[in-house]
Amino acid sequence: MTGKEIREKFLKYFESKGHTRVPSSSLVPHNDPTLLFTNAGMNQFKDVFLGREKRDYTRACSCQKVVRAGGKHNDLENVGRTARHHTFFEMLGNFSFGDYFKKEAIEYTWEFLTNELNLPADKLYITVYKDDDEAFEIWNKHIGVPADRIYRMDEKDNFWAMGDTGPCGPCSEILIDQGPEIGCGRVDCDPYCDCDRHLELWNLVFMQYNRDESGKLNPLPKPSIDTGMGLERITAVVQKVPSNFDTDLIKPIIEYAAKLSNKNYGDNEKDDTSLRVIADHARATTFLISDGVLPSNEGRGYVLRRIMRRAMRHGKMLGFKEPFFYQVCEFVSDFMSDPYIELMDKKSYVSKVVKFEEERFNKTLETGLKIAEELLEKYRENKEIPGFEIFRLYDTYGFPVDLLQDIMEDNGYKLDLVGFDEEMKKQQERAKQAWAGSGESFIADIYKKLENQFKTEFIGYENTNSESSVLAIVKDDNETQEISESSEFELILDQTPFYPESGGQVGDTGKIYNENCNIEVLDCKKVGNLIIHKCKLLNGKVKKGDKVTAVIDVEKRKNTERNHTATHLLHKALQMVLGDHVRQAGSLVAPDRLRFDFTHFAPVDDEEIKKIELLVNENIIKNIEVTKTIKPIEEAIKEGAMALFGEKYDKEVRVVEVPGFSKELCGGCHVERTGDIGLFKIVSEASVAAGIRRIEAVTGLEAVKFTQEINSIAKKSALLLKSNINDVPSKITELQEQLKNTQKELSKLQDKLNASKAEDILSNVKEINGVKVLAVKMDNTEINALRNFVDMAKAKIKSGIVLVGSVNGDKVTFLCGVTKDLTSKYKAGDIVKEIAKITGGGGGGKPELAQAGGKNPEKIDEALNHIYSIL
């Protein structure tokens, strides 16, 4: 039985038992600021278990993509070295939300394992929580598992909790005895042993209590079920292979990587470990990037970068000199796109991101090797590299610790790994404090409560106004029956034409009124099935249950529609001009402008900008009808519709298409025909993060106003320069050259002036402990002139120390020069650093010449005189 067949068999089995098949959620958790990555099947149902959200089903099953490479579940360093550890894996799970409980959950588990997968019943062992007599009885008397194959475990192993307080309950695990040839080999080996012989297959969580702040367990009114079983693990058992890596879910990736490296998997354990690391990390990398995570130096991006660089490091160990990992990720995209359709249109993008990171890592290795050489020189006396130096190389440059260890050991050096671990702990603590979670704003409990009672119907695609009923009124996160004083509050209607902020498009504004009230709508947001109108009462009063008329600001909506359709045209034009790796990474669609963030790895030059603008405007001039259709997501993706990062799509999706040019999944508001956009003009292009660029643009009358303003500026510039518009750039270049030459002449005159003063200044040389010292103040002198003076003074006194200070506005600059014969005893960097402290600054540099700055000009004389005390 293949892994693919096991995945499908599991889902179909639970569908036959009345469960709704729910697609895997993104690896980037939504509405959960506590999680780095989705690390369990229950994550997407967390609010359902907590009672904050209600679904239209009470039983669910899923195959959830999971990453465990940070925080509590951090398997990164074990991956490749063991049979079971992964950064990415698939978790099969079935869930009950107050529907069935222990008896049915246990029955389903046993039937699936023994009847559907044909696992031998006499090889299956059970663990239960020590006090859970109910579960023991069901396994023993109802299912028929002998009592001597049911083990009672303590709270650490068999009691699950969502947190210190909240839903919790006992667990029951199903294990399989893989035989004496696996694991520790002891005759008395049993499920209490940590070896691999008795392998855990499935964990059933019986969520039956709510733990309060005092620690008391209170029975839940509707107990629930949460289960999890690793697909790779159960596949290894069914296929009778010793490791998850030997299953048909992962081995083809290993074999592909082996082929690229001209190795044979199974020939050499060291190479095999590297191949397993590469295969696992390629899966994690491909899925994380496909879900919108990009390698960076913080948060999720930092973890992704570590995963990628660990794989690349193992590639170096296999002999790869050039980028290779992107090819393995391309293979993963093809290999796993059947169950995960989101990989289909992200393949090129993932490949480009990975290759770019590989090229950066190769440069990092070059830099790191140079720094390693410097460390060899710096610590040659005690031949031990301190922990903070190891951490700096690892954290700042991404230089692998194991590579540094090889280099140092080859040269007879030791590494302070204890100190390194301490620095890592500090970094993890800093990361915890800085971690902002999913980036989702907090949703007040009142809205989660109201979501279970009401639903708002959006009718704004076809209508600009509606006759509606007030379902609820919220003020200061509390429900109220009436608003009668001028203030801000939130309103929930049964139906509305107001589009809530979503997918980058800002929420509509407008008014809500009846004969008793006049309300201004300031913004509009969505929470689950509710559309929340942020309002201000202008006059009168509004009550729950009132009939009202809701009217959007039509002009603003039309302008927003222009900008939204323009982002779709821009997205496609960017792909056509820059490459199909371009993907939207964020956007803002407002009435007055649009902002579009996209993945690209170099600045977009002027010629490319012109081509992009031309493509967009060509499709505007064609006045193409913009179609909006609803269809199954699989069908839409197969037809080439682009899905956006971070968006959660239903089974049925809305496809917005400009036939012959652009096709995207989008729930936003759009023009009827492209000609309605009028004109498209790019205002700016810039970098916002590594591999992310941003374009800001305007459309319609805003684009006309912008081009008029640019034209006006060009005319004024031409007038000031006494030239025509076309000659403005060359005229400015000519003036810049003239200014540069003038500055050179001024600098020469300044040097001559300083040289003429040098003889007088040298009369101020003092001798301290046999060393000639010159300390001089030269205000309002630019840095190059100061540097030239220090060089001249050093040449004049032949042996000694020169210190010069200058005040420019509210800033102080110091330069210190030490003649070469004295640098073994006096270092310019040390001197200038101490001098600058007096003026509230700091600095440093080379032994012969160093520079520093300060921010207290009134203390410059005291600082200059301090040099005599130093010596």
Side-chain angles (χ1 to χ4, degrees):
M1 198 181 303
T2 67
K4 179 181 175 182
E5 288 168 342
I6 293 170
R7 184 196 294 115
E8 186 59 25
K9 185 180 278 286
F10 177 90
L11 296 170
K12 276 190 174 173
Y13 170 80
F14 279 99
E15 280 182 313
S16 75
K17 303 296 181 183
H19 292 64
T20 297
R21 184 188 297 211
V22 180
S24 171
S25 64
S26 168
L27 286 169
V28 178
H30 288 273
N31 295 325
D32 193 342
T34 66
L35 283 179
L36 191 68
F37 299 114
T38 298
N39 61 13
M42 63 80 62
N43 289 163
Q44 67 169 310
F45 304 114
K46 185 174 176 180
D47 280 347
V48 184
F49 283 124
L50 289 169
R52 294 174 180 165
E53 181 186 346
K54 195 172 184 179
R55 304 271 178 106
D56 55 5
Y57 48 81
T58 55
R59 300 181 176 202
C61 61
S62 69
C63 182
Q64 174 65 51
K65 50 192 181 184
V66 166
V67 163
R68 291 185 178 177
K72 177 183 170 186
H73 298 292
N74 189 353
D75 296 338
L76 185 59
E77 299 306 323
N78 290 320
V79 174
R81 306 183 191 283
T82 70
R84 313 289 171 207
H85 282 100
H86 303 288
T87 53
F88 172 90
F89 64 96
E90 298 177 75
M91 185 177 281
L92 302 167
N94 59 289
F95 310 91
S96 164
F97 313 117
D99 187 340
Y100 62 84
F101 199 46
K102 291 181 187 178
K103 180 173 174 289
E104 295 90 337
I106 289 171
E107 285 174 350
Y108 295 152
T109 300
W110 190 256
E111 183 177 32
F112 182 76
L113 291 176
T114 57
N115 290 1
E116 299 292 320
L117 297 185
N118 297 316
L119 295 185
D122 61 343
K123 296 293 182 185
L124 296 176
Y125 287 72
I126 310 300
T127 69
V128 296
Y129 180 54
K130 61 183 181 180
D131 298 332
D132 193 356
D133 295 332
E134 182 187 3
F136 189 99
E137 292 293 311
I138 295 169
W139 280 116
N140 180 227
K141 295 187 176 170
H142 182 63
I143 300 297
V145 177
D148 62 357
R149 292 218 311 273
I150 306 173
Y151 288 74
R152 292 181 184 266
M153 299 286 193
D154 60 19
E155 188 166 342
K156 176 176 170 288
D157 294 305
N158 275 63
F159 196 92
W160 178 91
M162 195 175 284
D164 294 335
T165 60
C168 56
C171 308
S172 182
E173 294 178 351
I174 299 87
L175 302 87
I176 188 165
D177 180 0
Q178 298 191 95
E181 65 278 6
I182 303 289
C184 63
R186 287 183 8 244
V187 177
D188 60 345
C189 179
D190 60 27
Y192 290 116
C193 184
D194 287 333
C195 78
D196 244 8
R197 174 172 172 175
H198 295 89
L199 184 69
E200 177 198 336
L201 295 179
W202 205 335
N203 186 20
L204 315 182
V205 176
F206 307 129
M207 218 178 290
Q208 65 187 96
Y209 302 111
N210 184 54
R211 181 180 275 147
D212 63 26
E213 291 181 358
S214 70
K216 184 183 176 185
L217 296 176
N218 303 296
L220 286 170
K222 289 187 176 181
S224 296
I225 293 293
D226 160 28
T227 85
M229 174 166 62
L231 175 62
E232 293 80 0
R233 185 173 292 201
I234 188 64
T235 301
V237 169
V238 171
Q239 294 180 354
K240 295 183 173 60
V241 293
S243 159
N244 294 1
F245 291 93
D246 294 312
T247 67
D248 64 346
L249 294 167
I250 305 176
K251 196 167 184 181
I253 306 170
I254 293 174
E255 289 170 340
Y256 179 78
K259 185 179 176 183
L260 284 179
S261 61
N262 294 314
K263 304 280 184 181
N264 289 314
Y265 185 59
D267 283 359
N268 177 293
E269 182 52 33
K270 188 178 178 184
D271 289 347
D272 289 353
T273 298
S274 292
L275 288 166
R276 288 192 290 269
V277 168
I278 289 165
D280 173 273
H281 290 8
R283 297 205 314 164
T285 297
T286 303
F287 277 90
L288 283 170
I289 295 174
S290 292
D291 277 352
V293 182
L294 283 170
S296 68
N297 288 328
E298 58 186 17
R300 296 186 179 98
Y302 177 72
V303 177
L304 172 58
R305 178 166 280 167
R306 282 190 64 201
I307 291 170
M308 293 173 73
R309 290 189 168 183
R310 186 167 186 259
M312 293 166 195
R313 163 71 181 127
H314 279 274
K316 297 288 180 192
M317 292 164 68
L318 288 173
F320 285 107
K321 298 281 192 294
E322 297 300 320
F324 76 97
F325 190 50
Y326 75 97
Q327 294 174 271
V328 185
C329 292
E330 287 177 347
F331 181 85
V332 171
S333 293
D334 290 334
F335 182 62
M336 300 190 73
S337 63
D338 184 12
Y340 298 102
I341 59 171
E342 67 267 27
L343 298 181
M344 290 173 64
D345 76 320
K346 303 282 192 340
K347 178 181 173 182
S348 171
Y349 164 65
V350 171
S351 176
K352 198 88 171 183
V353 171
V354 175
K355 191 174 183 184
F356 179 71
E357 186 67 15
E358 279 193 273
E359 288 164 349
R360 285 187 61 175
F361 184 57
N362 286 340
K363 289 175 185 172
T364 290
L365 285 179
E366 288 175 22
T367 305
L369 289 169
K370 286 177 187 172
I371 295 171
E373 288 173 14
E374 291 171 9
L375 293 177
L376 285 168
E377 178 64 27
K378 188 175 178 180
Y379 296 101
R380 66 182 173 187
E381 286 185 18
N382 60 358
K383 291 193 176 292
E384 182 172 11
I385 309 299
F388 77 89
E389 296 278 23
I390 306 167
F391 178 76
R392 180 172 67 93
L393 256 178
Y394 173 78
D395 193 56
T396 306
Y397 300 98
F399 196 79
V401 176
D402 54 354
L403 177 56
L404 183 66
Q405 199 162 8
D406 291 344
I407 293 167
M408 294 305 161
E409 286 176 357
D410 288 347
N411 286 276
Y413 286 61
K414 289 191 299 180
L415 268 65
D416 172 21
L417 294 175
V418 174
F420 169 73
D421 288 340
E422 287 173 1
E423 294 292 335
M424 280 294 288
K425 283 175 189 170
K426 288 179 194 172
Q427 196 273 349
Q428 286 163 359
E429 203 53 47
R430 288 192 297 270
K432 273 185 200 170
Q433 291 169 5
W435 171 240
S438 64
E440 301 279 342
S441 57
F442 175 75
I443 298 172
D445 286 341
I446 182 63
Y447 294 118
K448 291 176 179 175
K449 177 187 169 188
L450 291 170
E451 190 192 354
N452 288 331
Q453 300 175 34
F454 304 119
K455 180 180 181 180
T456 307
E457 182 187 0
F458 174 67
I459 60 169
Y461 291 136
E462 303 85 14
N463 302 281
T464 59
N465 59 75
S466 70
E467 299 303 317
S468 308
S469 297
V470 176
L471 296 177
I473 304 170
V474 176
K475 182 167 173 56
D476 299 328
D477 292 340
N478 290 299
E479 190 175 2
T480 184
Q481 297 298 307
E482 181 180 297
I483 296 288
S484 57
E485 293 180 5
S486 179
S487 61
E488 291 189 6
F489 60 99
E490 288 83 46
L491 209 56
I492 299 168
L493 306 177
D494 63 338
Q495 63 175 14
T496 182
F498 284 82
Y499 183 83
E501 180 186 341
S502 179
Q505 182 177 324
V506 298
D508 278 330
T509 61
K511 58 186 178 180
I512 294 172
Y513 63 91
N514 63 18
E515 65 275 11
N516 298 317
C517 68
N518 196 2
I519 299 167
E520 181 183 2
V521 179
L522 307 169
D523 198 1
C524 203
K525 296 186 183 296
K526 188 171 185 181
V527 176
N529 295 321
L530 301 177
I531 293 176
I532 315 295
H533 304 78
K534 185 178 179 183
C535 300
K536 183 177 182 180
L537 183 66
L538 300 179
N539 55 61
K541 65 179 180 180
V542 59
K543 302 193 307 292
K544 182 176 179 179
D546 278 358
K547 301 294 182 185
V548 293
T549 301
V551 184
I552 66 170
D553 184 323
V554 176
E555 193 58 37
K556 277 189 177 179
R557 165 70 82 80
K558 286 186 177 296
N559 288 334
T560 302
E561 288 174 346
R562 290 186 182 95
N563 285 329
H564 204 156
T565 307
T567 62
H568 285 217
L569 298 177
L570 172 61
H571 195 175
K572 185 62 180 178
L574 285 164
Q575 290 181 333
M576 292 172 71
V577 174
L578 304 178
D580 60 4
H581 63 278
V582 169
R583 282 292 184 278
Q584 180 175 328
S587 70
L588 170 70
V589 180
D592 59 333
R593 65 196 170 102
L594 68 90
R595 186 180 71 217
F596 191 80
D597 295 348
F598 59 98
T599 52
H600 189 53
F601 308 97
V604 185
D605 64 36
D606 287 343
E607 285 306 309
E608 288 169 331
I609 290 285
K610 285 179 186 175
K611 288 178 185 174
I612 292 160
E613 280 187 339
L614 199 61
L615 267 170
V616 173
N617 283 300
E618 279 175 356
N619 281 278
I620 290 171
I621 291 167
K622 287 177 183 175
N623 199 25
I624 307 164
E625 182 184 0
V626 180
T627 64
K628 301 102 178 174
T629 53
I630 305 294
K631 58 181 64 178
I633 187 168
E634 291 88 353
E635 183 184 332
I637 294 291
K638 283 174 183 173
E639 289 176 356
M642 282 190 287
L644 304 184
F645 297 127
E647 290 294 322
K648 193 174 182 181
Y649 295 105
D650 296 325
K651 289 180 181 178
E652 296 277 311
V653 292
R654 184 168 179 261
V655 180
V656 176
E657 183 177 5
V658 178
F661 192 71
S662 162
K663 184 186 286 188
E664 291 189 23
L665 306 186
C666 182
C669 303
H670 291 269
V671 297
E672 292 302 313
R673 305 188 76 89
T674 58
D676 297 342
I677 298 168
L679 176 66
F680 171 83
K681 181 66 185 165
I682 292 174
V683 172
S684 66
E685 189 278 339
S687 170
V688 289
I692 302 287
R693 310 293 300 179
R694 171 173 291 172
I695 277 178
E696 299 211 25
V698 285
T699 63
L701 287 177
E702 291 296 330
V704 174
K705 289 174 190 174
F706 178 78
T707 51
Q708 286 176 334
E709 184 63 25
I710 292 296
N711 189 49
S712 177
I713 291 168
K715 283 181 177 179
K716 286 175 185 175
S717 300
L719 194 62
L720 289 169
L721 293 168
K722 297 178 180 175
S723 70
N724 61 50
I725 288 177
N726 293 334
D727 292 336
V728 166
S730 60
K731 193 71 176 175
I732 291 172
T733 303
E734 185 184 317
L735 287 172
Q736 284 177 325
E737 195 60 37
Q738 287 176 12
L739 182 60
K740 191 176 174 183
N741 291 333
T742 302
Q743 286 172 333
K744 280 182 182 176
E745 289 300 316
L746 282 172
S747 184
K748 284 177 185 176
L749 289 170
Q750 182 72 56
D751 288 344
K752 284 180 183 177
L753 184 61
N754 289 339
S756 68
K757 289 180 180 178
E759 295 298 330
D760 295 334
I761 292 172
L762 288 173
S763 63
N764 294 323
V765 172
K766 295 182 181 180
E767 193 165 308
I768 309 294
N769 295 327
V771 178
K772 291 177 184 176
V773 181
L774 175 62
V776 182
K777 183 163 74 166
M778 297 172 67
D779 287 343
N780 299 311
T781 306
E782 58 103 26
I783 191 67
N784 286 331
L786 293 177
R787 200 172 280 120
N788 291 338
F789 174 79
V790 170
D791 289 341
M792 280 190 292
K794 280 167 63 179
K796 290 276 185 185
I797 63 176
K798 293 187 171 51
S799 175
I801 299 170
V802 178
L803 176 67
V804 60
S806 178
V807 175
N808 288 278
D810 59 351
K811 292 182 180 176
V812 183
T813 303
F814 294 104
L815 248 77
C816 180
V818 178
T819 55
K820 202 166 188 178
D821 60 310
L822 297 177
T823 52
S824 59
K825 191 173 182 183
Y826 303 105
K827 292 184 170 45
D830 295 340
I831 294 170
V832 82
K833 189 186 291 183
E834 190 168 340
I835 295 293
K837 278 182 190 173
I838 295 171
T839 60
K846 296 178 181 177
E848 291 179 50
L849 184 67
Q851 181 180 335
K855 49 193 176 185
N856 297 321
E858 67 277 5
K859 292 192 174 184
I860 188 169
D861 292 328
E862 181 188 340
L864 289 169
N865 287 326
H866 184 58
I867 191 169
Y868 304 122
S869 304
I870 293 173
L871 301 176

